[in-house]
Structure formats: structure tokens, C-alpha cells
Amino acid sequence: MRVLILCHPVPKDVKRLIKIEDDDYIIAVDQAVSDGYKQRIKMDLAVGDFDSLKNQGLLKNLNVLRLNPIKDVTDTYQALIEAQKHHPSDIIMLGGIGGSRIEHFIAHLMFFNEFDNLMIKNEYSTIRLMSEGSYRIKDDKRFISLFAYPIAKISLTNFKYDLERYLLKTYDPLCISNEIIKEEAILTIHEGKVIMVQSMK
């Protein structure tokens, strides 16, 4: 099973972005509850201190985990903890990219360190953690960016800019906005891990 987490800013059309399966468990974080109702998405759990949710009445018929506003974790982090309790194959955060509180997005990237089955997705980008192995990536007209997490040795084949056993270090921007030049490209991670960002051109 998968756990889907709705997180502000929530994509405008979640059902168009991803097919929601009957056995998906859906968690809404704080003000994302409002977006869930507007898009008629079945929510199994609402998590947060709800300081950003204008209409508190939306919580009335939901299973709610209300957090103390004075806490050591973010609402989204607690939602991830609740997600892991279901032992999901994947955790997909729908939203949580950008917005007016950019510090939260930076924190979301840090969560890959603890939740390696996490994917973050909106209308424009898909972000995931990639471990050692070879991956075939189909050309879907997106930019491919890779960031060491925290260090990795990688090879790229059938990209506009190929690499052979390149040591990608923390803060190295070499692998930003690469492109696939054939129907399929191959990313090989010989050592370490990378965060892969697929963004619309």
C-alpha cells in the first residue's frame, strides 16, 4: 500500500497528477485539509496544530491528530511518522514544494535521510532519493538534476551530458538541468545516494 500526504502548497488537481488507488491511505497536513475537501479527496487522517487552517469546522468528520503548537517537529514530519506506521511501499508527498515558507521545503529535502521511500511531487517536479544501482529513465521531456546525498559516484548514459564514474560531492552543481537525448537513459549509482529532481522544461 501507499501513503499519500497532502501538503501545502497542494497541487491544483491532485487526481490528474496521480491516480488514487482504493487502498491508498491519505493524510492531510494542516491547511491541506481545505484543499482535500475542495478536490473531493477522501482523507483518512488530518495532522497538525491547524494554526493555518482557516475553517476549523472541516476537521469535524475527520480522524484528527492535533499537535501542540509548541513542539520540536513540524506538522509534516509528524505526518511522515504516522505514514511509516502503516509500513507503506511508498510515501508520496503531494505538494510541499515552494510556497511562501521556503524553509519548510528545505526541511522536506532533509526528510529523505530518514524516509528513503519518500517521493515529493507537484505539477512541475518529482523529487526522490536514489540508492546504489542502475536505473532506466524514459524521456518524458523533463530536466534531470542530481544532487549528492551527501556524496556519490555516478555514471550517466544517453544524457546530453554523460559522465563516467564521476564523484559527485555535496554542493557540486555540475548535474543540474541535464537532458535525455534518446528514448531512454541510464543512471548508475556506483556508490552512495543522490536526490533526483525531474522538472518540466
Side-chain angles (χ1 to χ4, degrees), residues 143-159:
F143 289 114
I144 307 292
S145 298
L146 303 169
F147 301 89
Y149 201 78
I151 192 168
K153 185 177 289 185
I154 63 172
S155 294
L156 302 177
T157 305
N158 294 339
F159 284 85

Side-chain angles (χ1 to χ4, degrees), residues 3 46 51-52 66 82 105 120 163 170:
V3 175
D51 59 344
S52 300
R66 187 180 289 272
E82 299 306 313
F105 173 54
I120 305 175
L163 291 171
T170 309

Side-chain angles (χ1 to χ4, degrees), residues 25-28 33 37 43-48 50 58-66 82 86:
Y25 187 86
I26 301 177
I27 301 174
V33 169
Y37 271 110
M43 293 169 283
D44 298 289
L45 177 65
V47 174
F50 305 107
L58 296 176
L59 300 173
K60 186 176 180 180
N61 297 315
L62 287 178
N63 183 22
V64 175
L65 176 59
R66 187 180 289 272
E82 299 306 313
H86 295 271

Side-chain angles (χ1 to χ4, degrees), residues 78-90:
Q78 189 61 49
L80 287 165
I81 293 294
E82 299 306 313
Q84 284 288 63
K85 292 178 181 179
H86 295 271
H87 307 288
S89 57
D90 298 288

Side-chain angles (χ1 to χ4, degrees), residues 20 59 79 83 95 109 122 125 143 159 164 170 174:
I20 298 177
L59 300 173
L109 295 177
N122 71 0
S125 301
F143 289 114
F159 284 85
E164 181 62 33
T170 309
L174 178 71

Side-chain angles (χ1 to χ4, degrees), residues 16-131:
R16 185 175 181 181
L17 183 64
I18 188 172
K19 182 180 179 182
I20 298 177
E21 306 291 347
D22 291 339
D23 63 345
D24 287 338
Y25 187 86
I26 301 177
I27 301 174
V29 179
D30 205 294
Q31 63 183 302
V33 169
S34 178
D35 295 279
Y37 271 110
K38 289 176 182 176
Q39 297 188 38
R40 298 187 179 185
I41 296 172
K42 171 191 68 70
M43 293 169 283
D44 298 289
L45 177 65
V47 174
D49 55 25
F50 305 107
D51 59 344
S52 300
L53 182 63
K54 294 180 180 179
N55 184 359
Q56 297 284 314
L58 296 176
L59 300 173
K60 186 176 180 180
N61 297 315
L62 287 178
N63 183 22
V64 175
L65 176 59
R66 187 180 289 272
L67 305 177
N68 190 321
I70 303 173
K71 56 188 182 298
D72 294 329
V73 299
T74 65
D75 295 344
T76 304
Y77 180 83
Q78 189 61 49
L80 287 165
I81 293 294
E82 299 306 313
Q84 284 288 63
K85 292 178 181 179
H86 295 271
H87 307 288
S89 57
D90 298 288
I91 300 174
I92 304 175
M93 185 187 301
L94 298 164
I97 300 174
S100 60
R101 298 288 301 280
I102 194 67
E103 66 271 25
H104 283 278
F105 173 54
I106 294 172
H108 295 166
L109 295 177
M110 296 178 183
F111 293 154
F112 285 110
N113 189 56
E114 186 171 347
F115 306 95
D116 57 7
N117 58 341
L118 172 65
M119 175 193 298
I120 305 175
K121 190 176 183 68
N122 71 0
E123 302 96 329
Y124 310 107
S125 301
T126 299
I127 309 171
R128 69 188 80 193
L129 183 68
M130 313 291 282
S131 301

Side-chain angles (χ1 to χ4, degrees), residues 145-183:
S145 298
L146 303 169
F147 301 89
Y149 201 78
I151 192 168
K153 185 177 289 185
I154 63 172
S155 294
L156 302 177
T157 305
N158 294 339
F159 284 85
K160 186 173 182 178
Y161 305 103
D162 280 349
L163 291 171
E164 181 62 33
R165 301 187 74 87
Y166 179 77
L167 185 62
L168 185 64
K169 297 180 180 180
T170 309
Y171 310 124
D172 183 348
L174 178 71
C175 294
I176 292 177
S177 299
N178 209 337
E179 300 176 63
I180 296 173
I181 58 174
K182 295 187 178 180
E183 289 186 6

